[in-house]
């Protein structure tokens, strides 16, 4: 049975295997991985997992260009299946292209409804934070994300060109 869990160093080897499935340069949306994060060593991975946990604490400052966000990993036992994050507020870039929630599921775990399930759980957390609506975006040709977002009540606002390419932009009222 899958769970949404706090990022943890115990999934290091499984996370590395998932990254191999994606490919080293592929984006892992919702994962919070920065270009300078050391995730190959156990120490670096543990520091990264701890940093992801801190980003959700609104009493602490966040790195330049980031907003406060809560990160969860989709896991089944000791197997990392994907990630999802909830950005507590939007900056200009997120309003245009990134949205409040990002997620990804490793290729070998797709087509099981995990993204739809995880998004539903995170929408509950958004309500707990007092949010009344959230923005989600996806590539125009990403039919799986379109279905995931629409299944969770997403209403298409527009499709627009952004700094990172064309994006479908959906709002979900909470």
């Amino acid at each position: 049975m899958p769970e949404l869990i706090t990022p943890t160093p115990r999934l290091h080897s499984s996370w590395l295997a998932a990254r191999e499935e994606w490919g080293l340069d592929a984006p892992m949306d919702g994962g919070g991985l920065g270009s300078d994060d050391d995730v190959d060593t156990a120490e670096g991975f543990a520091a990264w997992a701890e940093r992801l946990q801190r980003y959700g604490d609104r009493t602490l400052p966040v790195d330049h260009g980031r907003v406060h966000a809560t990160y969860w990993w989709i896991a089944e036992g000791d197997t990392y299946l994907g990630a999802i994050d909830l950005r507590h507020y939007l900056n200009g870039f997120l309003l245009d292209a990134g949205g409040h929630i990002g997620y990804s599921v490793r290729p070998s775990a797709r087509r099981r409804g995990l993204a739809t399930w995880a998004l539903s759980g995170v929408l509950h957390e958004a309500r707990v934070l007092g949010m009344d609506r959230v923005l989600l975006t996806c590539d125009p040709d990403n039919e799986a994300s379109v279905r995931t977002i629409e299944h969770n009540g997403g209403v298409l606002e527009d499709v627009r060109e952004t700094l990172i390419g064309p994006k479908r932009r959906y709002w979900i009222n909470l």
Side-chain angles (χ1 to χ4, degrees), residues 25-65:
D25 295 329
M28 296 165 60
D29 295 331
L33 183 62
S35 60
D36 57 345
D37 286 321
D38 167 23
V39 292
D40 292 315
T41 68
E43 298 79 20
F45 190 83
W48 175 61
E50 182 180 315
R51 192 166 44 258
L52 291 178
Q53 293 176 35
R54 283 197 315 267
Y55 285 142
D57 185 343
R58 292 176 99 170
T59 66
L60 299 174
V62 292
D63 297 339
H64 177 73

Side-chain angles (χ1 to χ4, degrees), residues 115-132:
T116 300
W117 167 82
L119 177 55
S120 177
V122 170
L123 291 174
H124 170 76
E125 296 297 328
R127 287 182 199 95
V128 170
L129 281 177
M131 301 169 90
D132 58 358

Side-chain angles (χ1 to χ4, degrees), residues 11 28 44 58 68 80 118-120 126 135 160 174:
L11 295 185
M28 296 165 60
R58 292 176 99 170
H68 288 97
Y80 173 91
L119 177 55
S120 177
L135 174 67
R160 66 173 66 169
L174 304 173

Side-chain angles (χ1 to χ4, degrees), residues 83-129:
I84 188 164
D85 73 325
L86 172 62
R87 299 153 196 143
H88 299 182
Y89 48 90
L90 300 176
N91 58 21
F93 171 77
L94 293 173
L95 179 61
D96 184 49
H100 286 99
I101 299 172
Y103 55 86
S104 58
V105 174
R106 72 189 287 174
S108 63
R110 292 179 182 161
R111 297 181 173 257
R112 292 177 43 192
L114 291 169
T116 300
W117 167 82
L119 177 55
S120 177
V122 170
L123 291 174
H124 170 76
E125 296 297 328
R127 287 182 199 95
V128 170
L129 281 177

Side-chain angles (χ1 to χ4, degrees), residues 138-144 146 166 168:
C138 68
D139 291 343
D141 61 349
N142 187 338
E143 289 300 319
V146 168
R168 294 175 67 96

